Amino acid sequence: MSSKFDGSQSKDPPVLKEKGTDCASQLELWESKETSQKGKSLYLPAVANPFGQHTRIGAWRWVRIVLLGAVLVPVRVCCCFILFLFLWPFVILATIGRPVQPARPASNCRRQLTQPALRLLLQAVFRLLGFVVRVRGAKATRAEARLFVVAPHTTFFDVIACVAAGLPSLVLANRKLTFPGLRKVIQSTEPILVRRNDPASRKNTRNEILRRVRSGRRWRQIMIFPEGVCTNGSCLVTFKLGAFLPGVPVQPVLLRYPNTLDTVTWTWKGFSAFQIVLLTLSQAFTRMTIEFMPVYTPSDDEKQDPILFANTVRISMANALGLPVTDHTYEDCKLMISAGHLRLPMEAGLVEFTKLSQTLKLDWDSIQQHLDDYAAIAVASKGGKIGIEEFATFLKLPVSMPLRKLFALFDRNQDGSIDFREYVIGLTILCNPDNTEKILQVSFMLFDLDKDGFISEQELTTILQAAFGVPDLDVSKLFHEIAGPDKKHISFKTFKKFGLKHPVYAKLFSSYLDLQTAHSYSLPQAVEV
């Protein structure tokens, strides 16, 4: 092989210079290295969509739900209303004169007067709603662990764990306070509120957690759902770092709902909150298991590295639950919603945002832009994926062997279509900007047959007809898209600007360069005797 790739022993075609050969070889080396390094970390997630609710209710089950619900729902609602009348004075006493997110902990006197009664009455409320709660393990004291980390987070009913843990401070989204009747009850726990639409909220939340944990005052223990979003419980998604930044011992808490019919799971795609409440109240009872695991004390390395700390705790909890882990996050939910707005299947947006952003060095704006571009190609196809025909139409080129080879590079699982995840990975790894610029330089020399520093429509047509083996190929649309309207020539500046904006073309051109190189080295002159 080394003899074939010895430049002194071969002749290049007239349109392909030695510089072009170097570029193609460098691209091949870079891609093989980059793919080997990143490919392993870009495997498909263990769970395709952790944000979908898949409960199926048969006809007889519906009959039972309707009959039981007609009796149980009104009785339970009336009983809970009566209990709230007893609960409300203690809630008012616990919150009067206190802001929603206080700067100082409540006095011991106030807690002793309100907390036992609040806990007892809230336990009665959930029991009336039909929840049969089983608690395993021992809850850690404040001296043993300042923080509880609870997973999997599948429903708003998970707040029952807060009652079982003695009403610690909850870390939750600010919008939860809009639920009728719950604002004052949640406020009584001295919560830490997250405002998702506020860019500074994440930093403020972390600072508040650090302040309370490191304070000498007797703040309550803090309960955090580190996934930060409701899932269907089929896996543990990426843990947020708020609970792990202080570097102090935490107590993992596992939640299970071992019921024949799942009526509690509340995700982005599935039953609404009202339907969840109605279905759950229509059950004779709903089982829930809360397991307090042993307190986890971080090592010195984990104290210095919150990501390592969070991943270690997550894997420990996943092993205890018998579940896989994925790198999905709340941002995947936002991408899923954006995909729906772009008339794509909502699952198109599920790309494991954390993994892609860290491995490929992509930010939120970049992936959002990729989704918009992907939708422009895929929205016309069935299933919201890009097939070879949509790929060819987008590139304004015929289906040919070079195009099929490029398509196969994007199609990582070789199922004949490109989903959004494959599209983002393909653009980032295969169409790397550094290599794109080099390829464009060589490609321009290739297209500029008369070496006058410009590409005419005839020159572009000649090369592409040869590349794709289509004698009557019409490239006028592609030419005018590159050159602009009413232009008769393409300068290198214009060609480079178009190629950097549409790196798929650069990769396609490089495939043709590789073919030219292979042809060059297969000539008799290239063989060493």
Side-chain angles (χ1 to χ4, degrees):
M1 290 298 291
S2 60
S3 61
K4 290 186 179 183
F5 284 86
D6 184 351
S8 64
Q9 299 292 328
S10 65
K11 283 186 179 181
D12 294 332
V15 294
L16 186 63
K17 299 189 177 181
E18 189 172 295
K19 182 178 179 183
T21 303
D22 293 340
C23 177
S25 301
Q26 289 172 8
L27 177 71
E28 183 179 354
L29 287 171
W30 179 86
E31 282 178 358
S32 62
K33 180 180 178 183
E34 196 74 6
T35 302
S36 64
Q37 289 177 346
K38 293 181 177 179
K40 293 180 181 179
S41 64
L42 292 173
Y43 55 82
L44 291 173
V47 176
N49 182 8
F51 307 113
Q53 211 273 2
H54 307 297
T55 299
R56 298 290 180 266
I57 302 177
W60 286 110
R61 179 75 73 170
W62 274 116
V63 171
R64 181 181 175 183
I65 289 172
V66 171
L67 292 176
L68 278 175
V71 177
L72 292 177
V73 173
V75 170
R76 283 173 169 169
V77 170
C78 290
C79 290
C80 285
F81 178 76
I82 294 170
L83 266 181
F84 258 98
L85 294 179
F86 290 97
L87 179 70
W88 202 247
F90 294 99
V91 171
I92 296 299
L93 183 59
T95 59
I96 191 168
R98 304 271 297 164
V100 175
Q101 191 163 307
R104 294 180 298 176
S107 65
N108 286 335
C109 180
R110 189 191 292 245
R111 286 187 188 175
Q112 290 170 1
L113 286 173
T114 60
Q115 192 159 317
L118 284 174
R119 186 181 178 190
L120 181 64
L121 288 167
L122 287 171
Q123 285 176 336
V125 167
F126 288 120
R127 188 67 187 88
L128 276 174
L129 293 178
F131 282 89
V132 178
V133 181
R134 182 180 179 185
V135 178
R136 296 177 178 174
K139 181 184 81 71
T141 64
R142 184 175 179 276
E144 294 170 327
R146 300 284 182 91
L147 294 153
F148 300 109
V149 289
V150 187
H153 185 25
T154 58
T155 176
F156 42 78
F157 289 124
D158 290 345
V159 295
I160 296 174
C162 178
V163 179
L167 298 181
S169 296
L170 285 169
V171 178
L172 75 171
N174 184 52
R175 59 185 174 82
K176 299 286 179 64
L177 296 188
T178 61
F179 289 2
L182 292 182
R183 181 181 178 88
K184 288 291 184 182
V185 176
I186 293 173
Q187 186 181 342
S188 69
T189 69
E190 302 173 336
I192 298 174
L193 302 179
V194 181
R195 294 171 175 81
R196 293 198 188 275
N197 296 326
D198 181 1
S201 179
R202 182 176 296 181
K203 180 180 178 181
N204 294 338
T205 300
R206 290 177 176 178
N207 288 341
E208 180 64 16
I209 293 171
L210 285 169
R211 185 178 74 86
R212 293 196 186 187
V213 168
R214 294 174 178 174
S215 172
R217 294 174 174 173
R218 291 196 61 82
W219 284 100
R220 299 167 186 254
Q221 291 169 284
I222 299 172
M223 177 169 282
I224 299 179
F225 297 92
E227 292 173 294
V229 63
C230 284
T231 71
N232 56 24
S234 56
C235 63
L236 294 187
V237 301
T238 302
F239 278 10
K240 301 293 185 183
L241 301 182
F244 308 97
L245 283 171
V248 298
V250 300
Q251 182 169 36
V253 182
L254 307 178
L255 301 184
R256 300 180 180 91
Y257 293 89
N259 299 290
T260 306
L261 180 67
D262 177 15
T263 63
V264 299
T265 298
W266 182 51
T267 59
W268 289 83
K269 188 176 181 182
F271 294 132
S272 67
F274 178 75
Q275 290 171 326
I276 291 292
V277 171
L278 204 60
L279 286 169
T280 302
L281 294 188
S282 298
Q283 304 304 307
F285 54 86
T286 302
R287 293 188 181 92
M288 178 182 184
T289 301
I290 302 171
E291 180 179 349
F292 290 93
M293 293 180 67
V295 172
Y296 184 87
T297 302
S299 65
D300 291 338
D301 288 339
E302 289 166 346
K303 290 177 182 178
Q304 299 301 318
D305 187 352
I307 296 176
L308 175 63
F309 188 6
N311 285 335
T312 304
V313 172
R314 180 170 68 136
I315 291 171
S316 174
M317 296 175 75
N319 288 338
L321 290 162
L323 297 177
V325 298
T326 72
D327 288 327
H328 291 99
T329 59
Y330 173 69
E331 284 76 15
D332 284 282
C333 289
K334 294 200 291 184
L335 282 171
M336 191 169 75
I337 294 169
S338 296
H341 293 160
L342 292 170
R343 294 187 296 142
L344 292 171
M346 294 184 75
E347 286 79 2
L350 298 174
V351 296
E352 289 191 301
F353 176 82
T354 296
K355 183 182 291 182
L356 289 192
S357 62
Q358 291 176 353
T359 306
L360 304 181
K361 311 303 179 188
L362 294 172
D363 57 20
W364 171 254
D365 291 335
S366 299
I367 292 186
Q368 274 277 55
Q369 183 59 51
H370 283 322
L371 182 60
D372 291 340
D373 296 339
Y374 176 84
I377 310 171
V379 73
S381 68
K382 293 181 179 179
K385 292 186 177 183
I386 298 173
I388 186 68
E389 296 295 337
E390 289 82 18
F391 196 60
T393 301
F394 167 69
L395 295 175
K396 300 177 178 63
L397 293 170
V399 176
S400 58
M401 186 53 65
L403 194 72
R404 289 186 185 278
K405 288 183 177 179
L406 177 60
F407 184 86
L409 291 176
F410 277 82
D411 184 12
R412 293 171 64 84
N413 62 359
Q414 303 300 309
D415 67 347
S417 62
I418 301 171
D419 61 27
F420 177 54
R421 194 173 192 275
E422 292 171 323
Y423 178 78
V424 173
I425 295 170
L427 280 183
T428 309
I429 293 182
L430 301 176
C431 307
N432 180 268
D434 293 337
N435 290 277
T436 296
E437 191 163 347
K438 295 175 184 177
I439 293 167
L440 292 173
Q441 291 173 354
V442 181
S443 300
F444 187 84
M445 294 167 56
L446 174 71
F447 288 118
D448 184 14
L449 296 175
D450 59 9
K451 308 305 174 189
D452 65 349
F454 295 92
I455 300 173
S456 66
E457 184 174 342
Q458 182 58 45
E459 288 174 324
L460 185 68
T461 300
T462 299
I463 294 296
L464 291 183
Q465 283 179 344
F468 293 102
V470 182
D472 59 347
L473 175 64
D474 183 7
V475 299
S476 58
K477 289 183 178 179
L478 177 58
F479 178 84
H480 289 297
E481 185 170 342
I482 300 174
D486 304 323
K487 299 287 185 178
K488 296 184 178 180
H489 296 88
I490 301 172
S491 67
F492 176 68
K493 182 179 179 180
T494 303
F495 186 76
K496 177 182 174 182
K497 182 179 179 182
F498 177 83
L500 291 175
K501 187 176 180 181
H502 303 87
V504 177
Y505 282 99
K507 179 60 187 173
L508 191 62
F509 296 155
S510 79
S511 298
Y512 181 58
L513 290 175
D514 291 341
L515 290 175
Q516 286 279 48
T517 305
H519 173 70
S520 167
Y521 292 130
S522 66
L523 295 176
Q525 298 94 321
V527 179
E528 202 175 70
V529 180

